Amino acid sequence: MTGLYYEEFEVGETIRHEKRRTISESDNQRFCDMTMNQQPLHLDEAFAAETDFGERVVNGLLTMSLAVGLTIPDTTDGTIVANLSYDDVEHPAPVFHGDTIRAQSTVTDKRETSDGDRGVVTMHVEAFVVGEDERLVCEFDRTALSLKRPE
């Protein structure tokens, strides 16, 4: 177990997650197939070439899901009860096949549950394409119900 217990989260702390992932064409294709999203901007090279992007764009929900996954080992792996919400999702820049993504989480709020047995933690998650010109490609708030440290 590598996640943090409720008591270990500090409001204002930014956790830079070291794990990264390069998104392949097959990752994007499989994700679109699995979620039944056949948007040609994600899948059709000829169609996408005629858009402002000039090439296929990785499904934004894949980018968001990957960002969540990259955060898990350092935040809630083995210490989560449930994800409660994902709010204020934004995709300020596109992701393309071959882009490598990294993530960071900033703890923005925490409070004990009304019974005091667990805690609610909110983190602002940011995903970036790494490289010479690192760019923000997805950001959102993730709220999780966290275990407290065993006594």
Side-chain angles (χ1 to χ4, degrees), residues 20-82:
R20 301 171 175 201
R21 174 78 192 278
T22 300
I23 300 177
S24 69
E25 179 180 359
S26 65
D27 291 333
N28 189 47
Q29 178 72 54
R30 285 192 315 260
F31 188 87
C32 288
D33 289 345
M34 185 172 47
T35 60
M36 301 178 69
N37 181 340
Q38 299 303 303
Q39 167 57 253
L41 180 61
H42 302 314
L43 302 171
D44 185 326
E45 189 172 3
F47 175 89
E50 299 297 320
T51 69
D52 290 345
F53 300 108
E55 62 183 292
R56 289 168 291 176
V57 174
V58 170
N59 186 312
L61 292 175
L62 171 54
T63 302
M64 182 182 164
S65 296
L66 178 57
V68 171
L70 293 172
T71 72
I72 298 299
D74 302 321
T75 59
T76 58
D77 188 12
T79 57
I80 191 171
V81 176

Side-chain angles (χ1 to χ4, degrees), residues 15 17 20 25 35 42 46 51 56-57 67 80 82 86 88-89 91 96 100 106 110 116 133 140 143 150-151:
I15 303 163
H17 309 290
R20 301 171 175 201
E25 179 180 359
T35 60
H42 302 314
T51 69
R56 289 168 291 176
V57 174
I80 191 171
Y86 298 98
D88 301 320
V89 179
H91 299 276
F96 302 105
T100 299
T106 301
K110 67 183 259 188
D133 295 321
F140 53 91
T143 301
E151 294 180 16

